Amino acid sequence: AGAVLHGVTETTEGLTPDVALTKLQEGNARYIAMQDVDPNLSTERLLAVSKGQHPFAAIMGCVDSRVPPELVFDRGLGDLFDARVAGAIADDSIIGSIEFGVEEFDIPLVVVMGHSNCGAVKATVKAVDSGNTEMPGKIGAVAGPIVPAVKAVQAKGVTGDAVVPAVVEEVVRESLAALEESPIIKERVDAGTVKLVGAVYDLR
């Protein structure tokens, strides 16, 4: 194995959706192997992106502290356009944020990333099972959109420990579907300049 290089400054201009996806996959492979190179994490990069940003991928994910996109994909400053909300649900503010990234920066790749053992999903499953989906504060605004996913999974006969993983995957599918309904995003998907991809990160 070669020496680990840190602070490598790397340009990602002109990437197609497929090449952008390969960049993420390669970075995730480095992260899993704990052989990160920390591309675009340097003083040079810091000064460069202070003048403007050109992220090559948008990551719509959960707020969970164990799933930070830049670490998971071994990327650096200015690479990823992150939109994070508990449960990785595609509410209006998240969809609008992704639309802005796609429209303003011509981002070619949008990844919706759920994760295993998701607290928001677990809490919603518990609430549905107890028959009490009323939650304090604004937490209900997060759990509410997850409820249909829980019911859809349970309607398929999924039970026990399999429910939470199945709901995580269902939420990713529903969030992708919500993004696909955006005229701004759909136009680019149809033209082949944007790709939507679903993913589930395993905490283990």
Side-chain angles (χ1 to χ4, degrees):
V4 175
L5 302 176
H6 294 277
V8 177
T9 298
E10 175 186 339
T11 180
T12 52
E13 293 179 9
L15 291 182
T16 65
D18 287 337
V19 173
L21 180 59
T22 297
K23 287 277 188 188
L24 290 186
Q25 292 169 329
E26 291 173 345
N28 182 241
R30 293 193 300 269
Y31 170 74
I32 291 171
M34 289 296 155
Q35 294 178 341
D36 58 298
V37 297
D38 295 335
N40 295 331
L41 190 59
S42 63
T43 301
E44 180 183 1
R45 180 67 170 180
L46 176 65
L47 294 175
V49 297
S50 70
K51 300 176 179 66
Q53 60 173 314
H54 301 284
F56 73 89
I59 312 296
M60 198 200 104
C62 183
V63 293
D64 195 295
S65 63
R66 300 164 292 180
V67 195
E70 276 75 13
L71 293 183
V72 168
F73 294 111
D74 189 29
R75 300 307 310 182
L77 298 168
D79 284 337
L80 305 182
F81 194 79
D82 298 334
R84 301 178 68 181
V85 63
I89 57 170
D91 62 18
D92 286 349
S93 62
I94 291 293
I95 294 171
S97 296
I98 298 298
E99 287 177 337
F100 177 76
V102 167
E103 184 84 356
E104 185 73 10
F105 305 117
D106 292 323
I107 295 172
L109 177 67
V110 178
V111 177
V112 177
M113 183 170 67
H115 67 92
S116 65
N117 204 30
C118 179
V121 169
K122 289 168 67 176
T124 305
V125 170
K126 183 178 179 180
V128 170
D129 286 345
S130 70
N132 181 18
T133 54
E134 293 295 324
M135 297 186 178
K138 298 294 184 181
I139 298 175
V142 173
I146 301 175
V147 169
V150 176
K151 292 183 176 179
V153 164
Q154 291 178 335
K156 294 176 183 177
V158 180
T159 59
D161 292 341
V163 172
V164 170
V167 173
V168 168
E169 292 183 5
E170 180 64 21
V171 169
V172 169
R173 283 191 289 268
E174 291 182 4
S175 291
L176 284 171
L179 289 171
E180 288 171 351
E181 290 178 0
S182 159
I184 292 173
I185 295 171
K186 187 178 186 304
E187 178 182 1
R188 291 172 182 246
V189 169
D190 290 345
T193 58
V194 168
K195 175 173 280 191
L196 298 177
V197 176
V200 175
Y201 175 78
D202 191 345
L203 292 178
R204 295 169 295 178

